[in-house]
Amino acid sequence: MNLLWFYIAVVLAISDVLHTTLMWKVLNNFYIILGGLIQQTTKTTWQTWLAHEIMEAGFHFIVLSIVFLNPIIGILAALIHFVIDITHTILIRDMGEIEHRALHFVIESLFFIAIYGL
């Protein structure tokens, strides 16, 4: 069986940890100012949150496109990550860090198994 699906899921998980680390630990002040600017330009909190999720998906697109030298993989990874983030935020309110990471990894793995593993 082709293991590309597994590599994509692992790199996407690493990209998510990298995004969290960069935004909340390295670029924290910039990220807070950017969030304030986005909040001022949007009308509601959910629009601000949606803008954040879109930018995060863009980050994942860039990282995975570079790692795999394939923009299709970048688009698919960003799209599935975005859909999972939106869905679990709406449907599952309280989720710990490990549960969050596990949910993403399992669903993203299944998604990429369906595309690249069968």
Side-chain angles (χ1 to χ4, degrees), residues 75-95:
I75 289 169
L76 291 172
L79 181 65
I80 190 63
H81 191 86
F82 177 78
V83 168
I84 295 167
D85 269 347
I86 298 297
T87 304
H88 83 66
T89 301
I90 293 171
L91 298 177
I92 306 169
R93 297 290 170 148
D94 295 320
M95 183 180 290

Side-chain angles (χ1 to χ4, degrees), residues 16-92:
D16 201 24
V17 171
L18 179 64
H19 176 266
T20 300
T21 302
L22 280 175
M23 294 303 127
W24 291 113
K25 294 186 175 129
V26 176
L27 302 172
N28 187 26
N29 292 334
F30 167 76
Y31 203 53
I32 290 171
I33 292 169
L34 179 62
L37 292 171
I38 293 170
Q39 178 68 39
Q40 287 180 344
T41 60
T42 58
K43 302 285 187 246
T44 63
T45 303
W46 75 267
Q47 287 175 332
T48 303
W49 166 70
L50 193 58
H52 158 77
E53 294 299 339
I54 290 168
M55 288 188 304
E56 182 178 351
F59 178 85
H60 295 311
F61 164 74
I62 291 167
V63 170
L64 273 87
S65 293
I66 291 171
V67 169
F68 291 100
L69 299 174
N70 187 334
I72 301 298
I73 290 175
I75 289 169
L76 291 172
L79 181 65
I80 190 63
H81 191 86
F82 177 78
V83 168
I84 295 167
D85 269 347
I86 298 297
T87 304
H88 83 66
T89 301
I90 293 171
L91 298 177
I92 306 169

Side-chain angles (χ1 to χ4, degrees), residues 4-6 8-9 12 72-84 103-118:
L4 181 61
W5 66 268
F6 178 73
I8 296 169
L12 186 52
I72 301 298
I73 290 175
I75 289 169
L76 291 172
L79 181 65
I80 190 63
H81 191 86
F82 177 78
V83 168
I84 295 167
L103 175 74
H104 273 275
F105 190 77
V106 168
I107 294 173
E108 290 161 359
S109 292
L110 291 172
F111 177 78
F112 287 110
I113 284 172
I115 294 172
Y116 294 111
L118 300 177

